[in-house]
């Protein structure tokens, strides 16, 4: 894990660092001892977002009928499976933070405050996708606890996810803000794109390793991850009263940052520390997931790429000892074939593109402070 952190720091994109001349944040970027660095500022922004958005989320979830409410409260970490209170994590809140930061960047603090309900709607859609993804991928752990489907069954998890999507649209339908209608239209279009991306993802898993190209996996990743981050930024811009060009630029920023996010997430999925990620080490490799580092490695045309293709062509192993050996071999093959280095370099390139999109709409780094801090956070994280 230490090696991953070192390489990530070395190869991370040149996002302006908070506390420097080009990255200092106006208003919220300093504490009693001086300017916050990017990670500290992002953490503070995410904490503030949770404080603002969680009451809206909880009120929405509490309005669900009994069974759906219980599953959703468990998924968010607010209740145990038996219904007793829990103090678990409801997630990092990156997407709602992007909504608020984008609104503030283009319209000031008042615009950010007005976008809280929209931020909650985006977070509800994100969690709808998580509930469904866990069922389809058969993931057994999320946020350091069993996934909802393993506790309540497939049907319960799927229906709870459907309910969260409906709640998101209800929040926007009931929001009197003039941006709520175009925000709802954008969010529903994003859900369609998310579903298309997930369909492509599941289709890729059924195809042989040599039948999957890096370009189509990048397109799939933009649909599955970049689309919602772009949508979050665009909705924030709408709540700031931004014009079409600025909304499109913020969408582009979020999409490119989302691809960087996914690239780093895929790296963490292979080399991350389970104590930090809350997921078993090498789970993506055991499941034969064609993540971006894996597909890049498979396309390398080297002996290591051939070894990885051979491993991916075999049935899943069931014995724990055999699985551990297979994970080690596959992990080493991906790295030797260059998959890890490519993913980290590509993440840097995507963040450079994100910065170009952001500059189209927000020329002043002071105004873009929150977005810059979040961009740095998603490319320098370890879980």
């Amino acid at each position: 894990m230490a090696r991953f952190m070192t390489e990530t720091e070395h190869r991370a994109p040149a996002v302006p660092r908070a506390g420097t001349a080009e990255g200092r944040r106006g208003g919220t970027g300093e504490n009693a001892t001086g300017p916050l660095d990017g990670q500290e500022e992002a953490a503070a922004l995410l904490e503030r977002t949770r404080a603002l958005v969680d009451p809206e989320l909880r009120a929405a979830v509490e309005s669900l009928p009994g069974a759906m409410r219980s599953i959703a409260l468990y998924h968010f970490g607010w209740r145990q499976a038996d219904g007793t209170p829990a103090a678990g994590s409801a997630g990092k809140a990156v997407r709602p933070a992007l909504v608020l930061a984008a609104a503030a960047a283009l319209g000031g603090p008042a615009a950010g405050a007005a976008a809280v309900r929209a931020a909650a709607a985006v977070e509800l859609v994100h969690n709808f996708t998580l509930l469904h993804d866990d069922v389809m991928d058969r993931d057994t752990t999320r946020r350091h606890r069993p996934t909802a489907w393993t506790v309540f069954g497939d049907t319960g998890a799927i229906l709870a996810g459907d309910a969260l999507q409906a709640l998101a649209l209800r929040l926007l339908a009931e929001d009197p803000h003039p941006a709520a209608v175009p925000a709802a239209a954008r969010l529903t279009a994003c859900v369609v794109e998310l579903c298309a991306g997930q369909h492509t993802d599941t289709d890729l898993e059924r195809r042989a390793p040599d039948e999957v190209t890096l370009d189509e996996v990048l397109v799939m990743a933009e649909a599955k991850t970049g689309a919602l981050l772009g949508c979050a930024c665009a909705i924030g811009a709408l709540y700031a009263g931004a014009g079409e060009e600025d909304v499109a630029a913020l969408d582009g920023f979020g999409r490119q940052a989302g691809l960087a996010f996914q690239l780093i997430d895929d790296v963490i999925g292979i080399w991350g520390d389970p104590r930090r990620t809350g997921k078993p080490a090498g789970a993506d490799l055991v499941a034969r997931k064609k993540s971006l580092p894996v597909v890049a490695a498979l396309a390398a045309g080297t002996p290591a790429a051939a070894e990885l293709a051979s491993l991916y062509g075999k049935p899943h192993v069931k014995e724990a000892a055999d699985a551990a050996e297979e994970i080690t071999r596959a992990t080493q093959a991906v790295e030797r074939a260059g998959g890890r280095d490519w993913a980290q370099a590509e993440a840097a390139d995507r963040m450079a593109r994100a910065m170009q999109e952001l500059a189209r709409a927000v020329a002043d780094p002071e105004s873009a402070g929150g977005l810059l801090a979040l961009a740095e956070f998603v490319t320098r994280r370890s879980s």
Side-chain angles (χ1 to χ4, degrees):
M1 191 60 199
R3 183 179 178 188
F4 166 66
M5 289 295 292
T6 299
E7 290 184 1
T8 302
E9 286 291 323
H10 177 69
R11 294 188 177 89
V15 178
R17 303 289 298 228
T20 65
E22 76 272 28
R24 197 170 161 180
R25 322 295 185 215
T28 59
E30 298 187 10
N31 59 19
T33 60
L36 298 174
D37 69 22
Q39 294 293 285
E40 290 172 335
E41 183 162 0
L45 178 57
L46 294 171
E47 185 177 351
R48 290 195 300 274
T49 298
R50 273 282 166 229
L52 290 168
V53 173
D54 274 4
E56 286 281 355
L57 282 175
R58 291 204 66 153
V61 170
E62 292 283 2
S63 73
L64 290 172
M68 296 299 94
R69 181 171 65 250
S70 297
I71 298 170
L73 287 170
Y74 173 85
H75 168 76
F76 277 105
W78 297 325
R79 289 286 186 271
Q80 304 288 5
D82 62 4
T84 56
S89 169
K92 296 181 181 68
V94 169
R95 291 153 190 83
L98 286 170
V99 175
L100 302 185
L106 291 175
V116 168
R117 186 175 293 184
V122 169
E123 185 71 345
L124 285 167
V125 164
H126 173 53
N127 281 275
F128 137 70
T129 68
L130 297 182
L131 281 162
H132 282 203
D133 283 0
D134 285 343
V135 173
M136 286 183 273
D137 296 342
R138 310 315 284 172
D139 286 337
T140 58
T141 306
R142 181 172 294 282
R143 298 167 183 163
H144 304 277
R145 67 197 319 217
T147 46
W149 73 268
T150 66
V151 177
F152 300 97
D154 290 1
T155 300
I158 291 169
L159 292 173
D162 292 341
L164 294 186
Q165 182 189 173
L167 284 179
L169 296 178
R170 191 183 79 186
L171 282 182
L172 292 174
E174 294 175 349
D175 189 352
H177 196 286
V181 172
R186 187 170 282 271
L187 190 59
T188 53
C190 179
V191 168
V192 173
E193 188 173 358
L194 290 169
C195 291
Q198 178 65 12
H199 185 275
T200 300
D201 191 19
T202 56
D203 178 63
L204 293 177
E205 296 309 307
R206 292 191 293 267
R207 287 158 57 182
D210 60 354
E211 295 175 352
V212 177
T213 69
L214 193 53
D215 284 345
E216 62 185 337
V217 179
L218 282 166
V219 170
M220 177 272 293
E222 180 176 343
K224 279 195 62 175
T225 304
L228 189 54
L229 269 69
C231 182
C233 295
I235 286 176
L238 288 170
Y239 271 73
E244 185 176 334
E245 289 187 5
D246 287 346
V247 172
L250 265 292
D251 180 82
F253 164 77
R255 283 176 178 270
Q256 294 298 329
L259 271 173
F261 181 102
Q262 187 60 57
L263 285 153
I264 297 300
D265 195 65
D266 285 352
V267 170
I268 292 170
I270 298 174
W271 290 278
D273 184 344
R275 293 170 296 181
R276 297 178 65 89
T277 65
K279 295 182 178 182
D284 287 355
L285 297 174
V286 173
R288 306 293 192 268
K289 288 191 70 66
K290 297 179 180 68
S291 64
L292 286 159
V294 166
V295 176
L298 288 168
T302 64
E307 180 184 354
L308 181 63
S310 176
L311 288 169
Y312 259 55
K314 295 178 180 177
H316 298 195
V317 295
K318 296 182 179 180
E319 296 296 328
D322 292 338
E325 180 183 354
E326 183 179 272
I327 289 170
T328 299
R329 289 181 60 199
T331 300
Q332 292 173 350
V334 174
E335 183 147 17
R336 293 200 314 274
R340 184 177 185 172
D341 287 342
W342 174 87
Q344 291 172 329
E346 184 71 11
D349 179 65
R350 295 295 175 168
M351 280 311 306
R353 299 186 198 186
M355 293 302 104
Q356 292 173 352
E357 293 286 349
L358 181 60
R360 289 172 49 205
V362 189
D364 180 14
E366 292 282 342
S367 298
L371 292 170
L372 290 170
L374 291 169
E376 184 174 341
F377 171 80
V378 301
T379 55
R380 295 179 186 272
R381 63 200 180 92
S382 59
S383 64

